[in-house]
Structures are given as structure tokens and as C-alpha cells.
Amino acid sequence: MRSASDFTFASNQKNSLIFSAMKSRPLFLLAGLFAGLTASLEAAAIAANDPLVRYVGRFDQSDTAGPRCTWSASTVSFTVSGGSASVKLKDGGKNHWQVVVNGQPTAVLALEAGEQTYAVASNLPVGKHTIELVKRTEANLGATQILGLEIDDSAKLLPTTARPHRIEVIGDSISCGYGNEAANKEEKFTPATENAWLAYGAVAARAVNADYVCIAWSGKKLWPDNSIVSLYDQVAPSASKAKWDFAQWTPDIVVINLGTNDFNAKENPEEAGWVDAYVKFIKRIQSNYPKATIYCTVGTMISEWPGARKPRSTILGYLNKVIEQTNVAGSPPVRLVDFGVQAQHHGIGAQWHPSVKTHSIMADKLVAAIKQDFAW
């Protein structure tokens, strides 16, 4: 049973969510939120490690109080038979989480520092309702710890079905959804405008009914320094030094979207070193996931400017050599997906990053490649 102080906080949280999310909520959820303000104090506590609570992504399970995550798009999902639900989270006060009910985005949780209880659904009719909590913000904003759930005493926690396919994306700020909800390119980054749920990888994964994991961090390169490669085997960077067990989750597809920061310098990276580093990274991925198809991609922020060094043509040339060296007969293929260059008329996100519209276009290109190669 939660305390009266917990209920007061949850009720205030519901008030703040109603008006910020009204346009996107189904009518039954809106009605439920208002009805939930006078809901009974009775609720059933669900432990964070309950086997019916499903986690997709890398979660550090070392703390018995509850799992912690830092990577973008880390997802907690559970299914209830109706009624209301809330979640107890511990955070440093910078992260934002997307609430998704029955596949539809409803509210955004702007987490406060410390342990807080947040209402995520109210007055759901009797039936099967899946609630997902998706981390919109990235690893450099710190960890969120899941401490438990509460549902109505009269409701039941039901199994949540896994999606039939799996996709992992490895990248930088683009893959994180950095500033994709910002009004224009002049805006500085804020956690509120980063939405990994609407980043191209997440959108594409939903389109092909795949579970999704994103290993990305703004500003990271492939080589020779400040590399995502150095963080790739970590469960929750910025929270712990624990190493990930790659046998826990094996994707069907791995998408690599690196190079934007490598080529965003005064000089293009040296060809032999960059190609060799990429080849070694792919072989490392293949050793962990021998059956996965790998897509090497080029992000939308790389153009031919400055013309003297033609970054886009150069990275495409490098990637052709990478693919040639890593494709081995009898193994799943390594292929190229070119996302093209973002267009002004599709909007530009914070500090020249792709907008939500551009992410949607990128997702369409990735989905087209997947459907060409798989019978999904």
C-alpha cells in the first residue's frame, strides 16, 4: 500500500500530465486521468524484479532495490487487466521518459531528483492494456532506477508478449534523437527536446514489429578517440562499470550509424586507420552476434561541404571498402544504407540535428532495406 504522501504526489503529477498531453491522448485515457484524481488509495505493489515486468535494453541488475539503465530507448513494459497504474523511479532529475499505452504515446515524464511515484495510466477499462515506459534521453544525462509499480488491487498483472524480431542500433547523437523535437537549428540542446522514441531506429523497429536496443551517445566517434567502441560492452555507462553479457539479447539486425563526428573536423579521418577500426568493430559485433545482418549507414548531417574534402563522398568510399573486407561467403551480409542529406523544408532540429520528420524519412529507408532482405 502506498502512503498518503505518495498518493498526493501522484495526484499532482496527474494534474500536470493532463494538460501537457491532452492533444495526444485517446478519450478514454483523458477521462481516466480526471477520474483518477479521486481514485481509491488502495493499490497493489509490484516489485521491480517481478517476472511479469519486461525489460528491453541493458539494465544493471546489481542493486536489489531495482534495475538501473542509462542507454537511450531503454524500455520497461507491463500489461494490466484495467484500472490505474503508477511507477516509482529514482533519478538525478534530468531524464525524460515517454509513456506509451496500447501503442499510443500519452504523456512524458520529466523526472524529478530522488525517488518519486508517477502516474502512467488511469481508469483503463477491463481488458488487456500494455504500458511501455521508454527512456527518451541519453546516457550522459545519468541513470534511472526502477523501484517498482503499483496497480489497482482489483487489477491483474498479465504477461507482456515479446515482439518477434530484434534490432540494435549503434550510433551517436543522431541515433539518440538529439534535439529532434526542437523548433529550429538555433535552439540549444535540452533534455526535453530529445526523443529517442521518435528517433529513426525506434520508428523503424516499431514498423517491422521488432524489439529495439540503442547503444548511442552524443559526440561519439568510431576512431581514433572519444569512441563509442570503448563503451560498447558496458551495461549502463555513467551508472556502473558492469560489463554486458551479449548472450542475454541477440539481435537479428545491427545498424551502425557512426562517422558524423569523425568527419565533422578540419580534416577527414585517415583512410587506412578508420577503415581498419570499422572492420575490427564489425568483426567484434559478428563474434557476439554471428547470425546478425549488419547495416552500415551514413547519417543525414554529412554533406559534401566543405567541397575541398567532400566528406559525404569520402565516407561512402571508406564504407565500400569496409563492406568489401567484412562480407564473408556463407555469413550474414554487411550492407550499406545511405540515409541521404537532411532537407531544410523538413525542418532542422537543435544545433543542425535531424528533425522528427527527417527521422521518419530515415526510418522509411531503413524499413525498405529490411523488407527487401527479410520476410518480415
Side-chain angles (χ1 to χ4, degrees), residues 43-362:
I46 307 294
N49 61 358
D50 189 290
L52 292 180
V53 180
R54 186 166 185 266
Y55 295 95
V56 178
R58 298 185 182 182
F59 286 81
D60 179 6
Q61 303 280 355
S62 61
D63 188 341
T64 57
R68 298 179 296 173
C69 64
T70 62
W71 293 112
S72 302
S74 298
T75 300
V76 184
S77 60
F78 58 99
T79 301
V80 295
S81 61
S84 302
S86 60
V87 59
K88 189 174 184 180
L89 304 174
K90 181 179 179 181
D91 194 82
K94 295 182 179 180
N95 282 302
H96 288 62
W97 284 70
Q98 181 70 55
V99 181
V100 182
V101 180
N102 297 328
Q104 297 300 314
T106 55
V108 176
L109 306 180
L111 302 192
E112 298 186 15
E115 297 181 8
Q116 304 287 354
T117 300
Y118 302 88
V120 294
S122 295
N123 202 37
L124 297 169
V126 174
K128 186 177 180 180
H129 304 279
T130 296
I131 300 167
E132 295 176 286
L133 307 175
V134 184
K135 191 171 184 289
R136 290 167 50 114
T137 41
E138 61 183 280
N140 62 21
L141 295 174
T144 300
Q145 185 172 21
I146 293 82
L147 300 176
L149 312 172
E150 289 181 356
I151 63 174
D152 290 351
D153 276 342
S154 59
K156 293 181 179 180
L157 196 63
L158 305 171
T160 300
T161 304
R163 293 182 172 92
H165 313 298
R166 294 178 173 184
I167 295 174
E168 177 176 285
V169 165
I170 305 166
D172 49 37
S173 57
I174 296 175
S175 299
C176 293
Y178 181 106
N180 57 352
E181 290 192 333
N184 54 60
K185 61 183 181 293
E186 282 74 31
E187 276 198 29
K188 299 294 185 182
F189 172 82
T190 67
T193 63
E194 182 171 61
N195 188 351
W197 192 77
L198 287 179
Y200 71 93
V203 175
R206 291 194 295 275
V208 296
N209 201 18
D211 279 338
Y212 175 66
V213 168
C214 179
I215 308 301
W217 187 305
S218 291
K220 295 299 180 182
K221 299 178 183 178
L222 171 76
W223 177 85
D225 55 10
N226 191 30
S227 174
I228 193 70
V229 178
S230 65
L231 300 176
Y232 180 62
D233 63 351
Q234 294 192 24
V235 176
S238 75
S240 75
K241 297 296 183 183
K243 300 298 184 182
W244 176 246
D245 177 6
F246 287 93
Q248 287 190 47
W249 197 85
T250 303
D252 305 297
I253 292 170
V254 176
V255 179
I256 305 173
N257 189 352
L258 292 169
T260 298
N261 295 305
D262 304 63
F263 284 81
N264 187 29
K266 293 182 179 179
E267 300 293 336
N268 294 333
E270 187 265 325
E271 180 177 1
W274 197 85
V275 169
D276 181 63
Y278 210 130
V279 169
K280 288 179 178 177
F281 187 41
I282 287 178
K283 289 182 177 180
R284 179 177 164 188
I285 294 168
Q286 290 172 325
S287 69
N288 293 321
Y289 310 136
K291 296 182 179 180
T293 293
I294 296 175
Y295 292 102
C296 303
T297 69
V298 180
T300 61
M301 294 176 71
I302 302 179
S303 68
E304 290 290 52
W305 183 89
R309 58 185 178 91
K310 298 186 181 299
R312 170 160 283 273
S313 297
T314 303
I315 190 173
L316 287 169
Y318 287 10
L319 285 176
N320 284 331
K321 294 184 178 181
V322 168
I323 291 170
E324 181 180 346
Q325 293 179 35
T326 53
N327 264 325
V328 179
S331 297
V334 179
R335 292 180 172 154
L336 176 68
V337 175
D338 185 354
F339 287 131
V341 180
Q342 60 192 8
Q344 292 273 358
H345 64 273
H346 291 144
I348 305 294
Q351 297 169 274
W352 290 94
H353 281 75
S355 64
V356 168
K357 175 62 177 178
T358 299
H359 275 279
S360 176
I361 294 169
M362 294 168 68

